[in-house]
């Protein structure tokens, strides 16, 4: 509370809430940064106003508030990104708000400045949507050859896919697909630059999670094609989040477990079955795989969890010796942001 300096806030549950956030992996090996969006409620939990706050976190644990500013509309999603992989020194902060176009901010880590980009279409042309068909809940993009593929998921169940040319920023194709319920999983995986194809891991909160192929034809027509259904993901009350690494697809659920799928089966189709379940003990809000130390970071209502891969163990040895519901447990201390009864667990998974 002292860090965000909200005089109207209190420690009562729900008065000040963080509703969207993202984090940089690393900034020149010295620190990382956290981008957050907040809502301040009155005593009846009715929203009064919204604001954004950007933090610098040193590896020694010290935290500094870089910038804080008011948002005119309710924030729904936020993302830290770069305009091009060939220009990693030009980072941007994207803030998606209800019933308004996306706001983009240019970041300068050396000067510690944040400046709003007036013409977002000049940097991210696929985000220049005057009246989006809903509020953005997920967003992801990838670059293949000279094209940027971008997908935006909305609370109305729509996923808008766009392709633009990197050199000119011209949008050459756009296609929309409709799901039932707000989009909760949206991630590009397994790109094929030669054929200008990518796979989209996508789900609404109702499930099931699906893998779709998104391809750009020679006549510059964007096509969706259903590839794989992740069986079992529709029977978990609510699909909350999802991510993937080179071996697995992870699906976080409201029913307190993470469903694991073999990525080879997911990419092969037409169905993929759950190979393991990780019990978290609390609804899974967000997940992020960290390649550098081969860990899966999980945020739940009870706090922060870190799942480790046991060294030297392959998926084949796990499958031969253990059932899918009884993974070997390996404990490790890790910080928790929940209450007194919060627990942090670490489960050994393998490839």
């Amino acid at each position: 509370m002292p860090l965000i300096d909200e005089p109207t806030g209190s420690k009562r549950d729900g008065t000040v809430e963080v509703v969207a956030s993202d984090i940089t992996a690393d900034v020149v090996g010295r620190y990382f940064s956290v981008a957050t969006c907040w809502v301040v409620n009155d005593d009846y939990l009715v929203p009064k106003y919204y604001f954004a706050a950007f933090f610098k976190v040193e590896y020694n644990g010290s935290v500094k508030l870089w910038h804080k500013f008011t948002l005119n509309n309710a924030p729904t999603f936020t993302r830290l990104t770069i305009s091009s992989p060939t220009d990693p020194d030009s980072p941007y902060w994207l803030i998606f708000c209800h019933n308004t176009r996306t706001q983009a901010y240019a970041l300068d880590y050396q000067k510690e400045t944040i400046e709003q980009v007036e013409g977002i279409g000049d940097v991210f042309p696929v985000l220049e949507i005057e009246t989006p068909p809903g509020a953005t809940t997920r967003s992801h993009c990838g670059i293949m050859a000279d094209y940027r593929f971008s997908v935006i998921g909305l609370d109305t169940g729509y996923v808008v896919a766009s392709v633009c040319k990197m050199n000119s920023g011209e949008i050459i194709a756009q296609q929309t697909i409709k799901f039932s319920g707000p989009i909760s999983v949206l991630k590009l995986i397994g790109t094929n630059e030669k054929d200008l194809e990518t796979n989209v891991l996508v789900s609404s909160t109702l499930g099931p999670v699906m893998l779709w192929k998104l391809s750009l034809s020679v006549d510059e027509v964007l096509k969706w094609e259903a590839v794989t259904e992740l069986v079992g993901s529709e029977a978990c009350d609510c699909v909350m989040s999802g991510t993937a690494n080179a071996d697995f697809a992870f699906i976080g659920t409201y029913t307190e477990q993470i469903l694991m799928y073999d990525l080879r089966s997911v990419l092969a189709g037409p169905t993929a079955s759950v190979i393991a379940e990780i019990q978290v003990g609390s609804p899974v809000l967000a997940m992020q795989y960290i390649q550098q130390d081969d860990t899966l970071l999980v945020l739940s209502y009870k706090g922060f969890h870190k799942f480790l891969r046991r060294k030297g163990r392959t998926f084949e040895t796990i499958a031969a010796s253990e059932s899918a519901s009884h993974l070997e447990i390996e404990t490790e201390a890790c910080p928790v942001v929940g209450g007194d009864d919060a627990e942090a667990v670490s489960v050994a998974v393998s490839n």
Side-chain angles (χ1 to χ4, degrees), residues 26-333:
D26 186 73
V27 180
V28 202
R30 294 180 290 118
Y31 58 88
F32 58 94
S33 54
V34 181
T36 60
C37 298
W38 302 72
V39 58
V40 178
N41 300 314
D42 62 17
D43 291 340
Y44 299 98
L45 299 183
V46 176
K48 294 173 61 178
Y49 59 91
Y50 315 96
F51 68 91
F54 195 85
F55 302 94
K56 173 183 177 182
V57 184
E58 302 282 356
Y59 283 105
N60 62 10
S62 63
V63 183
K64 176 184 177 182
L65 176 63
W66 264 22
H67 287 278
K68 176 184 171 184
F69 52 90
T70 301
L71 297 173
N72 296 326
N73 297 81
T76 58
F77 185 66
T78 192
R79 185 158 63 93
L80 293 169
T81 186
I82 55 177
S83 60
S84 167
T86 60
D87 191 17
D89 295 328
S90 298
Y92 290 87
W93 180 11
L94 302 178
I95 299 179
F96 301 86
C97 293
H98 181 71
N99 200 30
T100 186
R101 64 167 56 188
T102 308
Q103 301 174 52
Y105 298 85
L107 305 174
D108 190 323
Y109 290 116
Q110 299 295 327
K111 299 178 180 179
E112 297 189 0
T113 59
I114 298 177
E115 296 183 3
Q116 185 170 3
V117 178
E118 295 299 331
I120 189 173
D122 297 335
V123 185
F124 302 100
V126 296
L127 297 180
E128 194 172 32
I129 303 176
E130 288 288 346
T131 54
T136 300
T137 55
R138 296 290 185 269
S139 172
H140 201 210
C141 68
I143 295 175
M144 291 186 293
D146 296 325
Y147 301 91
R148 176 192 288 271
F149 283 66
S150 175
V151 284
I152 300 174
L154 307 168
D155 64 347
T156 50
Y158 287 99
V159 175
V160 181
S162 307
V163 178
C164 71
K165 293 182 178 179
M166 289 297 298
N167 55 355
S168 64
E170 176 191 0
I171 299 177
I172 61 173
Q174 196 167 69
Q175 190 62 255
T176 300
I177 191 170
K178 179 69 165 64
F179 296 85
S180 298
I183 300 301
S184 58
V185 176
L186 191 62
K187 187 175 180 65
L188 301 181
I189 59 175
T191 58
N192 180 349
E193 288 202 23
K194 179 182 178 181
D195 297 328
L196 290 180
E197 296 177 349
T198 185
N199 296 302
V200 186
L201 192 66
V202 59
S203 178
S204 69
T205 53
L206 301 178
V209 183
M210 292 285 298
L211 186 77
W212 291 73
K213 181 170 71 174
L214 189 62
S215 59
L216 185 67
S217 64
V218 292
D219 53 351
E220 296 186 340
V221 175
L222 197 55
K223 297 180 180 180
W224 287 93
E225 179 184 348
V227 177
T228 308
E229 177 183 343
L230 277 61
V231 178
S233 58
E234 77 284 359
C236 57
D237 189 31
C238 184
V239 176
M240 301 282 283
S241 58
T243 190
N245 62 12
D247 304 306
F248 299 114
F250 303 93
I251 304 301
T253 71
Y254 190 80
T255 47
E256 305 185 351
Q257 76 262 38
I258 298 172
L259 308 179
M260 292 177 56
Y261 297 84
D262 182 2
L263 190 61
R264 293 170 296 184
S265 298
V266 173
L267 294 175
T271 61
S273 300
V274 177
I275 62 170
E277 295 182 5
I278 303 176
Q279 299 299 325
V280 180
S282 182
V284 179
L285 298 175
M287 297 185 295
Q288 182 67 49
Y289 173 72
I290 306 299
Q291 183 175 0
Q292 289 87 337
D293 55 359
D294 205 5
T295 61
L296 181 69
L297 303 183
V298 177
L299 182 67
S300 78
Y301 279 121
K302 280 193 173 181
F304 173 79
H305 313 261
K306 185 177 182 181
F307 295 87
L308 303 173
R309 185 193 298 257
R310 175 66 62 82
K311 298 299 182 183
R313 303 202 67 192
T314 65
F315 166 69
E316 285 73 15
T317 60
I318 287 285
S321 62
E322 302 172 15
S323 68
S325 60
H326 292 85
L327 290 179
E328 183 176 350
I329 303 296
E330 176 182 307
T331 61
E332 175 177 295

